[in-house]
Amino acid sequence: MEIDLGANAFGIDFHPSTNLVAAGLIDGHLHLYRYDSDSSLVRERKVRAHKESCRAVRFIDDGQRIVTASADCSILATDVETGAKVAHLENAHEDAVNTLINVTETTIASGDDKGCVKVWDTRQRSCSHEFNAHEDYISGMTFASDSMKLVATSGDGTLSVCNLRTSKVQSQSEFSEDELLSVVIMKNGRKVICGTQNGTLLLYSWGFFKDCSDRFVDLAPNSVDTLLKLDEDRLITGCDNGILSLVGILPNRIIQPIGAHDYPIEDLALSHDNKFLGSTAHDSMLKLWNLEEILEGSNGNSGNASGAAGDSDSDKDGMDLDNDSHKSSKGSKRKTKSKPNTLNSTNNFFADL
């Protein structure tokens, strides 16, 4: 199942309970599609959400609203039923907003091209936390709900762990050999997996973030631009060769290919029932893959183990503690923009239009 969006999509997300999928496009538009297993994608709505590219999309409030982030430094909330703008923060960040994730039912997090991460309270409509751990763009984020810690990756080649309880950057990895582009938490919170520009998957053990404990190189030299967690033992990779692959973690192995685009993969998402995998790439196509049918043939196929032989890899570095010292700095800018007036914007998130 696929449809030509007419422009490249940077971000996609599925509705949490119904068969709707949203896509944010490079031209600033937000598209909303309805899908069914027996029919094609049908566009329900098209909204001009931003002046510049729409880089990230997330459903919030049980699917009643869609939040989008843009290169124009703004974050917008749009009503799903009407397409009306519900709330708008014009100067959410000082630089282009690159990533968005849902943190809790009432909070979201955003990361920009300058390396800044902000957490927003959608009820109070304000910025509750701000972290400046990185010197380059935020490429990916994920959240550990049990410990209330936000994990972020950056183009500066480091991984950071931000503690929402203490409002401090708890840990940061040493610089890796390449840019970190994507991140997921697996193995019931014990492993953090990062995709890199050279195609290596870096595996960090939770609490030991100074250096990775394992590397998986079978995807190299293709850049791992996006990662999507399928379950505690498997993830889906999207690479710059356009290939989607199902990968097992500890033991590390490529289980099977899932599908392909003609150009580099931009984003991946799972439907509310985990039946469909959504993918976008630099070919302007939105594709929905029926995972139930694709994975049916892989049952019992464990693949050939590569890299680590088991799940008991050791960690050579010391465990990171909450009171670890951390040097926060802002380095070179990935993109140069005039600094907007943010005096009041961060205190009025989702101000009613």
Side-chain angles (χ1 to χ4, degrees):
M1 193 185 321
E2 62 183 53
I3 192 168
D4 190 341
L5 300 172
N8 289 348
F10 284 151
I12 57 171
D13 195 29
F14 284 89
H15 192 280
S17 60
T18 63
N19 291 356
L20 292 173
V21 59
L25 277 56
I26 192 173
D27 61 7
H29 282 97
L30 169 67
H31 288 193
L32 185 64
Y33 293 89
R34 187 168 297 278
Y35 63 91
D36 190 274
S37 58
D38 299 323
S39 62
S40 60
L41 287 155
V42 178
R43 192 170 74 191
E44 295 263 311
R45 202 166 308 285
K46 177 181 179 181
V47 177
R48 181 59 188 264
H50 298 278
K51 298 176 182 178
E52 298 183 35
S53 60
C54 181
R55 293 187 174 183
V57 178
R58 287 293 181 269
F59 282 94
I60 65 169
D61 296 342
D62 296 323
Q64 297 180 57
R65 296 183 176 93
I66 305 174
V67 174
T68 52
S70 172
D72 64 14
C73 304
S74 73
I75 298 176
L76 174 72
T78 301
D79 186 89
V80 171
E81 290 295 325
T82 65
K85 294 181 180 180
V86 177
H88 192 202
L89 179 58
E90 292 189 17
N91 298 319
H93 284 256
E94 293 185 5
D95 214 321
V97 189
N98 197 50
T99 58
L100 266 181
I101 65 165
N102 295 320
V103 177
T104 67
E105 291 183 355
T106 58
T107 55
I108 60 173
S110 57
D112 67 23
D113 277 358
K114 213 178 203 179
C116 175
V117 173
K118 293 186 178 183
V119 179
W120 305 92
D121 187 322
T122 58
R123 293 173 303 177
Q124 299 296 324
R125 301 181 174 182
S126 62
C127 178
S128 58
H129 303 76
E130 180 174 340
F131 304 99
N132 293 284
H134 297 282
E135 300 178 359
D136 208 336
Y137 70 100
I138 302 299
S139 56
M141 293 186 292
T142 189
F143 182 64
S145 58
D146 55 342
S147 59
M148 291 296 289
K149 290 170 185 174
L150 186 68
V151 181
T153 52
S154 171
D156 65 12
T158 66
L159 166 81
S160 68
V161 181
C162 303
N163 192 323
L164 300 193
R165 291 195 176 106
T166 63
S167 297
K168 295 180 179 180
V169 179
Q170 176 179 315
S171 308
Q172 190 162 10
S173 70
E174 294 181 346
F175 288 95
S176 65
E177 299 173 357
D178 215 336
E179 297 180 13
L180 303 186
L181 302 179
S182 45
V183 60
V184 293
I185 299 174
M186 299 182 65
K187 295 292 181 179
N188 297 304
R190 291 184 292 112
K191 294 294 176 181
V192 177
I193 319 298
C194 298
T196 67
Q197 194 173 41
N198 64 17
T200 300
L201 292 183
L202 304 181
L203 281 68
Y204 293 85
S205 293
W206 189 265
F208 299 85
F209 294 107
K210 183 179 179 182
D211 195 7
C212 64
S213 59
D214 192 15
R215 297 170 183 260
F216 178 60
V217 301
D218 286 15
L219 295 166
N222 302 299
S223 172
V224 184
D225 296 335
T226 182
L227 295 173
L228 180 66
K229 177 180 175 179
L230 183 61
D231 53 38
E232 296 301 330
D233 302 310
R234 298 176 298 171
L235 56 80
I236 299 169
T237 62
C239 296
D240 67 354
N241 61 355
I243 302 297
L244 308 176
S245 300
L246 181 66
V247 174
I249 298 298
L250 296 175
N252 303 330
R253 65 209 187 276
I254 298 177
I255 299 174
Q256 70 174 90
I258 290 179
H261 285 256
D262 294 330
Y263 293 93
I265 304 300
E266 190 63 49
D267 200 14
L268 300 172
L270 281 175
S271 63
H272 63 94
D273 54 4
N274 287 348
K275 182 176 182 180
F276 289 99
L277 166 69
S279 62
T280 59
H282 294 184
D283 55 8
S284 303
M285 301 300 296
L286 168 62
K287 296 187 178 184
L288 299 192
W289 311 88
N290 191 320
L291 278 181
E292 290 184 348
E293 295 179 358
I294 294 173
L295 300 181
E296 186 177 356
S298 69
N299 291 336
N301 178 17
S302 60
N304 296 320
S306 302
D311 199 0
S312 59
D313 57 317
S314 61
D315 298 286
K316 298 179 181 179
D317 54 341
M319 188 169 185
D320 300 316
L321 302 176
D322 284 358
N323 60 355
D324 282 352
S325 62
H326 175 78
K327 295 182 180 180
S328 178
S329 62
K330 290 185 179 181
S332 58
K333 299 179 182 178
R334 189 182 185 210
K335 298 183 179 180
T336 303
K337 283 183 175 288
S338 59
K339 184 176 180 180
N341 180 8
T342 58
L343 180 62
N344 296 320
S345 63
T346 55
N347 294 321
N348 294 284
F349 182 56
F350 285 174
D352 291 329
L353 296 175

Coordinates of all heavy atoms in Angstrom, one line a residue, residues 254-314:
I254 N 21.0 -9.8 11.3 CA 20.0 -9.4 10.3 C 19.1 -10.5 10.1 O 19.5 -11.6 9.6 CB 20.6 -8.9 9.0 CG1 21.5 -7.7 9.3 CG2 19.5 -8.5 8.0 CD1 22.2 -7.2 8.0
I255 N 17.8 -10.4 10.5 CA 16.9 -11.5 10.4 C 16.3 -11.6 9.0 O 16.3 -12.7 8.4 CB 15.7 -11.3 11.4 CG1 16.3 -11.3 12.9 CG2 14.7 -12.4 11.3 CD1 15.2 -11.0 13.9
Q256 N 15.9 -10.5 8.4 CA 15.3 -10.5 7.1 C 15.1 -9.1 6.6 O 14.9 -8.2 7.4 CB 14.0 -11.3 7.0 CG 12.9 -10.6 7.7 CD 11.5 -11.3 7.6 OE1 11.2 -12.1 8.4 NE2 10.8 -10.9 6.5
P257 N 15.1 -8.9 5.3 CA 14.7 -7.6 4.7 C 13.2 -7.5 4.8 O 12.4 -8.5 4.7 CB 15.2 -7.7 3.3 CG 15.2 -9.1 2.9 CD 15.6 -9.8 4.2
I258 N 12.6 -6.3 5.0 CA 11.2 -6.1 5.0 C 10.7 -5.4 3.8 O 9.6 -5.7 3.3 CB 10.9 -5.2 6.3 CG1 11.1 -6.0 7.6 CG2 9.4 -4.7 6.3 CD1 10.9 -5.3 8.8
G259 N 11.4 -4.5 3.2 CA 11.0 -3.7 2.1 C 12.0 -2.7 1.6 O 13.1 -2.7 2.2
A260 N 11.7 -1.9 0.7 CA 12.6 -1.0 0.1 C 12.0 0.2 -0.5 O 10.9 0.2 -1.0 CB 13.6 -1.6 -0.8
H261 N 12.7 1.4 -0.5 CA 12.4 2.6 -1.3 C 13.5 2.7 -2.3 O 14.6 2.1 -2.2 CB 12.3 3.8 -0.4 CG 11.1 3.9 0.5 ND1 10.0 4.7 0.1 CD2 10.7 3.2 1.6 CE1 9.1 4.6 1.1 NE2 9.4 3.7 1.9
D262 N 13.3 3.6 -3.2 CA 14.4 3.9 -4.2 C 15.4 4.8 -3.7 O 16.5 5.0 -4.3 CB 13.8 4.5 -5.5 CG 12.9 3.5 -6.2 OD1 13.1 2.3 -6.1 OD2 11.9 4.0 -6.8
Y263 N 15.2 5.5 -2.6 CA 16.1 6.5 -2.0 C 16.2 6.3 -0.5 O 15.5 5.5 0.1 CB 15.6 7.9 -2.3 CG 15.6 8.2 -3.8 CD1 14.5 8.0 -4.6 CD2 16.8 8.8 -4.4 CE1 14.5 8.3 -6.0 CE2 16.8 9.0 -5.7 CZ 15.7 8.8 -6.5 OH 15.8 9.1 -7.9
P264 N 17.1 7.1 0.2 CA 17.3 6.9 1.6 C 16.0 7.0 2.4 O 15.2 7.9 2.2 CB 18.3 8.1 1.9 CG 19.0 8.3 0.7 CD 18.0 8.0 -0.4
I265 N 16.0 6.2 3.5 CA 14.8 6.2 4.4 C 14.9 7.4 5.3 O 15.9 7.8 5.8 CB 14.8 4.9 5.2 CG1 14.8 3.7 4.3 CG2 13.5 4.9 6.1 CD1 13.7 3.6 3.4
E266 N 13.7 8.0 5.5 CA 13.6 9.2 6.3 C 13.0 8.9 7.7 O 13.5 9.4 8.7 CB 12.8 10.3 5.6 CG 12.9 11.7 6.3 CD 14.2 12.3 6.3 OE1 14.9 12.3 5.2 OE2 14.7 12.7 7.4
D267 N 11.9 8.2 7.7 CA 11.2 7.9 9.0 C 10.5 6.6 9.0 O 10.0 6.2 7.9 CB 10.3 9.1 9.3 CG 9.9 9.2 10.8 OD1 10.6 8.5 11.6 OD2 9.0 9.9 11.2
L268 N 10.2 6.0 10.1 CA 9.5 4.8 10.3 C 8.5 5.0 11.5 O 8.8 5.7 12.4 CB 10.4 3.6 10.6 CG 11.5 3.3 9.6 CD1 12.4 2.2 10.2 CD2 10.9 2.8 8.3
A269 N 7.4 4.3 11.4 CA 6.4 4.3 12.5 C 5.5 3.0 12.4 O 5.4 2.4 11.3 CB 5.5 5.5 12.4
L270 N 5.0 2.6 13.6 CA 4.1 1.5 13.7 C 2.7 1.9 13.9 O 2.4 2.8 14.7 CB 4.6 0.5 14.8 CG 5.8 -0.4 14.6 CD1 6.1 -1.1 15.9 CD2 5.5 -1.4 13.5
S271 N 1.7 1.2 13.3 CA 0.3 1.5 13.5 C -0.1 1.1 14.9 O 0.6 0.4 15.6 CB -0.5 0.7 12.5 OG -0.4 -0.7 12.6
H272 N -1.3 1.6 15.3 CA -1.7 1.4 16.7 C -1.8 -0.1 17.1 O -1.7 -0.5 18.2 CB -3.0 2.1 16.9 CG -4.2 1.5 16.1 ND1 -5.0 0.6 16.5 CD2 -4.6 1.8 14.8 CE1 -5.9 0.3 15.6 NE2 -5.7 1.1 14.6
D273 N -2.1 -1.0 16.1 CA -2.3 -2.4 16.4 C -1.0 -3.2 16.0 O -1.0 -4.4 16.0 CB -3.5 -2.9 15.6 CG -3.5 -2.6 14.1 OD1 -2.5 -2.1 13.6 OD2 -4.5 -2.9 13.4
N274 N 0.1 -2.5 15.6 CA 1.3 -3.1 15.2 C 1.2 -3.9 13.9 O 2.1 -4.7 13.6 CB 1.9 -3.9 16.3 CG 2.5 -3.1 17.4 OD1 2.7 -1.9 17.2 ND2 2.8 -3.7 18.5
K275 N 0.1 -3.8 13.2 CA -0.1 -4.5 11.9 C 0.6 -3.9 10.8 O 1.2 -4.6 9.9 CB -1.6 -4.6 11.6 CG -1.9 -5.5 10.4 CD -3.4 -5.6 10.1 CE -3.7 -6.5 8.9 NZ -5.1 -6.6 8.7
F276 N 0.7 -2.6 10.7 CA 1.4 -1.9 9.6 C 2.6 -1.2 10.0 O 2.6 -0.5 11.1 CB 0.4 -1.0 8.9 CG -0.7 -1.6 8.2 CD1 -2.0 -1.8 8.7 CD2 -0.5 -2.1 6.9 CE1 -3.0 -2.4 8.0 CE2 -1.5 -2.8 6.2 CZ -2.8 -2.9 6.8
L277 N 3.6 -1.2 9.2 CA 4.8 -0.4 9.3 C 4.7 0.7 8.2 O 4.5 0.4 7.1 CB 6.1 -1.3 9.0 CG 7.4 -0.5 8.8 CD1 7.8 0.2 10.1 CD2 8.5 -1.4 8.3
G278 N 4.9 1.9 8.7 CA 4.9 3.0 7.8 C 6.3 3.5 7.5 O 7.1 3.5 8.4
S279 N 6.6 3.9 6.3 CA 7.9 4.3 5.9 C 7.9 5.5 4.9 O 7.0 5.5 4.1 CB 8.8 3.2 5.4 OG 8.3 2.7 4.2
T280 N 8.8 6.4 5.1 CA 8.9 7.5 4.1 C 10.4 7.6 3.7 O 11.3 7.2 4.5 CB 8.5 8.9 4.7 OG1 9.2 9.2 5.9 CG2 7.0 8.8 5.0
A281 N 10.6 8.1 2.5 CA 12.0 8.3 2.0 C 12.1 9.5 1.2 O 11.2 10.3 1.1 CB 12.4 7.0 1.2
H282 N 13.3 9.7 0.6 CA 13.5 10.8 -0.3 C 12.9 10.7 -1.7 O 13.3 11.4 -2.6 CB 15.0 11.1 -0.4 CG 15.7 11.5 0.9 ND1 17.0 11.8 1.0 CD2 15.1 11.6 2.2 CE1 17.3 12.1 2.3 NE2 16.2 12.0 3.0
D283 N 12.0 9.7 -1.8 CA 11.3 9.5 -3.1 C 9.9 10.0 -3.1 O 9.1 9.7 -4.0 CB 11.3 8.0 -3.5 CG 10.7 7.1 -2.4 OD1 10.1 7.7 -1.4 OD2 10.8 5.9 -2.5
S284 N 9.5 10.8 -2.1 CA 8.1 11.3 -1.9 C 7.0 10.3 -1.7 O 5.8 10.6 -1.7 CB 7.7 12.2 -3.2 OG 8.7 13.2 -3.4
M285 N 7.4 9.1 -1.4 CA 6.4 8.0 -1.2 C 6.2 7.7 0.2 O 7.1 7.7 1.1 CB 6.9 6.7 -1.9 CG 7.1 6.8 -3.4 SD 5.7 7.3 -4.3 CE 4.6 5.9 -4.0
L286 N 4.9 7.5 0.6 CA 4.5 7.0 1.9 C 4.1 5.5 1.6 O 3.2 5.3 0.8 CB 3.4 7.8 2.5 CG 2.7 7.1 3.7 CD1 3.6 6.9 4.9 CD2 1.5 8.0 4.1
K287 N 4.8 4.6 2.3 CA 4.4 3.2 2.1 C 4.0 2.5 3.4 O 4.6 2.8 4.4 CB 5.7 2.4 1.5 CG 6.1 2.9 0.1 CD 7.2 2.0 -0.4 CE 7.6 2.4 -1.8 NZ 8.6 1.5 -2.5
L288 N 3.0 1.7 3.3 CA 2.5 0.9 4.5 C 2.8 -0.5 4.2 O 2.3 -1.1 3.2 CB 1.1 1.2 4.8 CG 0.6 2.6 5.1 CD1 -0.8 2.6 5.7 CD2 1.6 3.3 6.1
W289 N 3.5 -1.2 5.0 CA 3.9 -2.6 4.9 C 3.1 -3.4 5.9 O 3.0 -3.1 7.1 CB 5.4 -2.8 5.1 CG 6.3 -1.9 4.4 CD1 6.7 -0.6 4.8 CD2 6.8 -2.1 3.1 NE1 7.5 0.0 3.8 CE2 7.6 -0.9 2.8 CE3 6.8 -3.1 2.2 CZ2 8.3 -0.8 1.6 CZ3 7.5 -3.0 1.0 CH2 8.2 -1.8 0.7
N290 N 2.5 -4.5 5.4 CA 1.7 -5.4 6.3 C 2.7 -6.3 7.0 O 3.2 -7.3 6.5 CB 0.7 -6.2 5.5 CG -0.3 -7.0 6.4 OD1 0.1 -7.5 7.4 ND2 -1.5 -7.0 6.0
L291 N 3.0 -5.9 8.3 CA 4.0 -6.7 9.0 C 3.6 -8.1 9.4 O 4.4 -9.0 9.4 CB 4.3 -5.9 10.3 CG 5.4 -4.8 10.2 CD1 5.6 -4.2 11.6 CD2 6.7 -5.3 9.6
E292 N 2.3 -8.3 9.6 CA 1.8 -9.6 9.9 C 2.1 -10.6 8.8 O 2.6 -11.7 9.0 CB 0.3 -9.6 10.1 CG -0.1 -8.9 11.4 CD -1.6 -9.0 11.7 OE1 -2.4 -9.4 10.7 OE2 -2.1 -8.7 12.8
E293 N 1.9 -10.2 7.5 CA 2.2 -11.0 6.4 C 3.7 -11.2 6.2 O 4.2 -12.3 5.9 CB 1.6 -10.5 5.1 CG 0.1 -10.5 5.2 CD -0.5 -9.9 3.9 OE1 0.3 -9.4 3.0 OE2 -1.8 -9.8 3.8
I294 N 4.5 -10.1 6.3 CA 5.9 -10.2 6.1 C 6.6 -11.0 7.1 O 7.5 -11.8 6.8 CB 6.5 -8.7 6.1 CG1 6.0 -7.9 4.9 CG2 8.0 -8.8 6.1 CD1 6.3 -6.5 4.9
L295 N 6.2 -10.9 8.4 CA 6.9 -11.6 9.5 C 6.5 -13.0 9.7 O 7.1 -13.8 10.4 CB 6.8 -10.8 10.8 CG 7.3 -9.4 10.8 CD1 7.1 -8.8 12.2 CD2 8.8 -9.4 10.4
E296 N 5.3 -13.4 9.0 CA 4.8 -14.7 9.2 C 5.8 -15.8 8.7 O 6.0 -16.8 9.3 CB 3.5 -14.9 8.4 CG 2.8 -16.2 8.6 CD 1.5 -16.3 7.8 OE1 1.1 -15.3 7.2 OE2 0.9 -17.4 7.9
G297 N 6.5 -15.4 7.6 CA 7.5 -16.4 7.1 C 8.8 -16.4 7.9 O 9.6 -17.3 7.6
S298 N 9.0 -15.5 8.8 CA 10.3 -15.5 9.6 C 10.1 -16.1 10.9 O 11.1 -16.2 11.7 CB 10.7 -14.0 9.8 OG 9.8 -13.4 10.7
N299 N 9.0 -16.7 11.3 CA 8.8 -17.4 12.6 C 9.7 -18.5 12.7 O 9.7 -19.4 11.8 CB 7.4 -17.8 12.8 CG 6.4 -16.7 12.9 OD1 6.8 -15.6 13.3 ND2 5.1 -16.9 12.6
G300 N 10.5 -18.5 13.8 CA 11.4 -19.6 14.0 C 12.7 -19.4 13.2 O 13.7 -20.2 13.4
N301 N 12.9 -18.4 12.5 CA 14.1 -18.1 11.8 C 15.0 -17.2 12.7 O 14.8 -16.0 12.8 CB 13.8 -17.4 10.5 CG 15.1 -17.0 9.7 OD1 16.2 -17.5 10.0 ND2 15.0 -16.1 8.8
S302 N 16.0 -17.8 13.3 CA 16.8 -17.0 14.2 C 18.0 -16.3 13.5 O 18.6 -15.5 14.1 CB 17.4 -18.0 15.3 OG 18.2 -19.0 14.7
G303 N 18.3 -16.7 12.3 CA 19.3 -16.0 11.6 C 20.7 -16.5 12.1 O 20.8 -17.3 13.0
N304 N 21.7 -16.0 11.4 CA 23.1 -16.3 11.8 C 23.6 -15.2 12.7 O 23.6 -14.0 12.4 CB 24.0 -16.4 10.6 CG 23.6 -17.5 9.7 OD1 23.3 -18.6 10.2 ND2 23.7 -17.3 8.4
A305 N 24.0 -15.5 13.9 CA 24.5 -14.5 14.9 C 25.8 -13.9 14.4 O 26.6 -14.6 13.9 CB 24.7 -15.2 16.2
S306 N 25.8 -12.6 14.6 CA 27.0 -11.8 14.2 C 27.3 -10.9 15.4 O 26.5 -10.6 16.2 CB 26.8 -11.0 13.0 OG 26.4 -11.8 11.9
G307 N 28.6 -10.5 15.5 CA 28.9 -9.6 16.5 C 29.0 -10.3 17.9 O 29.6 -11.3 18.0
A308 N 28.2 -9.8 18.8 CA 28.2 -10.5 20.1 C 27.5 -11.8 20.1 O 26.5 -12.0 19.4 CB 27.4 -9.6 21.1
A309 N 28.0 -12.8 20.8 CA 27.5 -14.1 20.8 C 26.3 -14.3 21.7 O 25.5 -15.2 21.5 CB 28.5 -15.1 21.1
G310 N 26.1 -13.4 22.6 CA 25.0 -13.6 23.6 C 24.6 -12.3 24.2 O 24.9 -11.3 23.8
D311 N 23.9 -12.5 25.3 CA 23.2 -11.3 26.0 C 24.0 -10.9 27.3 O 23.5 -10.2 28.1 CB 21.8 -11.7 26.3 CG 20.9 -10.5 26.6 OD1 21.5 -9.3 26.5 OD2 19.8 -10.6 26.9
S312 N 25.2 -11.4 27.4 CA 25.9 -11.2 28.7 C 27.2 -10.4 28.4 O 28.2 -10.7 29.0 CB 26.2 -12.5 29.3 OG 27.0 -13.3 28.5
D313 N 27.1 -9.4 27.5 CA 28.3 -8.6 27.2 C 28.7 -7.8 28.5 O 27.9 -7.4 29.2 CB 28.1 -7.7 26.0 CG 26.9 -6.8 26.3 OD1 25.8 -7.2 26.8 OD2 27.0 -5.6 25.9
S314 N 30.0 -7.6 28.6 CA 30.5 -6.9 29.8 C 30.7 -5.4 29.5 O 30.8 -5.0 28.4 CB 31.8 -7.5 30.2 OG 32.8 -7.4 29.2

